Amino acid sequence: IALCIGLYGYRSLETLKQADTQLYMKMTKPLGSMGGVIAGFQRSRIHILYMVQAGQDKQQRDAESVKLKAQQELVQNSLMLFEKGIIAPEEKELFKTLQTTQKQYYTVAFKLYDALNEGNSAMTQKVLAELRDIAGKTQQLIEQLEEFKVMQGQQIASANGTLAHTSGLIMLV
């Protein structure tokens, strides 16, 4: 009986160890990567605002464009890291949509840069409206992915707690 209890306890500890590793690798690290996406996205919005506010100062617009490109790279790198933690098909679909939306966002942001440099106020207003819509979609997708990842983490943590409790009860017997 002691051998059976010992084997069960060992197996339970190994299962807990694997689940804990999954919790870190597939939940915690990706949420940290999503922080990079969020920070880069918000900084991008600031650089776009500064581009618009630069008025006739092309040098300032150019500087903001360079900073915007750097934020685009940060977002792309953070998305690549987040992708490593995807475990559910629904999450993969949300992620693909976010990737597509992010590409659209930066494409339109650089169209805005061109419109501003051309002094085309009608095109600038059109592009700003398009950018606003894409930014709203992007923010919504980021929030959905965060919620999804937190929910997954809670499920794994709950299962780990149940396993630990059951193992403890078996060992007490």
Side-chain angles (χ1 to χ4, degrees):
I1 292 176
L3 178 62
C4 289
I5 291 172
L7 287 174
Y8 179 81
Y10 177 76
R11 198 173 89 230
S12 295
L13 288 175
E14 281 300 310
T15 303
L16 271 174
K17 178 182 167 189
Q18 290 170 357
D20 195 39
T21 300
Q22 181 183 20
L23 185 63
Y24 177 72
M25 297 300 290
K26 301 292 183 179
M27 306 306 152
T28 305
K29 282 182 80 170
L31 279 171
S33 298
M34 189 54 73
V37 172
I38 293 166
F41 177 60
Q42 295 305 327
R43 287 184 196 128
S44 294
R45 295 172 87 175
I46 290 167
H47 294 304
I48 290 167
L49 172 66
Y50 291 165
M51 273 195 320
V52 172
Q53 290 179 338
Q56 300 300 316
D57 188 351
K58 185 173 178 346
Q59 187 176 7
Q60 177 65 33
R61 254 194 323 278
D62 291 346
E64 295 305 327
S65 174
V66 169
K67 293 174 186 175
L68 181 62
K69 183 69 177 164
Q71 294 308 313
Q72 180 184 19
E73 291 173 11
L74 170 71
V75 168
Q76 288 172 338
N77 291 337
S78 295
L79 283 172
M80 285 190 310
L81 292 172
F82 180 86
E83 187 175 19
K84 293 177 182 178
I86 293 176
I87 59 175
E90 305 92 336
E91 183 182 16
K92 183 71 171 174
E93 287 304 312
L94 282 172
F95 178 77
K96 285 180 182 179
T97 305
L98 177 60
Q99 277 186 312
T100 301
T101 304
Q102 280 292 295
K103 287 177 186 171
Q104 290 171 342
Y105 182 79
Y106 288 102
T107 298
V108 173
F110 289 108
K111 277 180 20 183
L112 174 64
Y113 169 77
D114 293 339
L116 288 165
N117 282 337
E118 293 168 9
N120 186 338
S121 62
M123 179 59 86
T124 297
Q125 292 306 312
K126 181 182 174 193
V127 173
L128 278 171
E130 186 179 357
L131 200 56
R132 182 182 58 243
D133 292 342
I134 295 170
K137 290 176 190 173
T138 299
Q139 187 65 42
Q140 185 179 30
L141 287 164
I142 288 170
E143 290 169 4
Q144 287 175 330
L145 277 167
E146 278 184 313
E147 289 171 13
F148 199 88
K149 194 54 79 182
V150 168
M151 179 192 66
Q152 287 175 333
Q154 289 171 338
Q155 289 171 348
I156 290 174
S158 177
N160 288 356
T162 301
L163 180 61
H165 179 72
T166 302
S167 297
L169 288 176
I170 297 280
M171 295 230 189
L172 282 176
V173 173

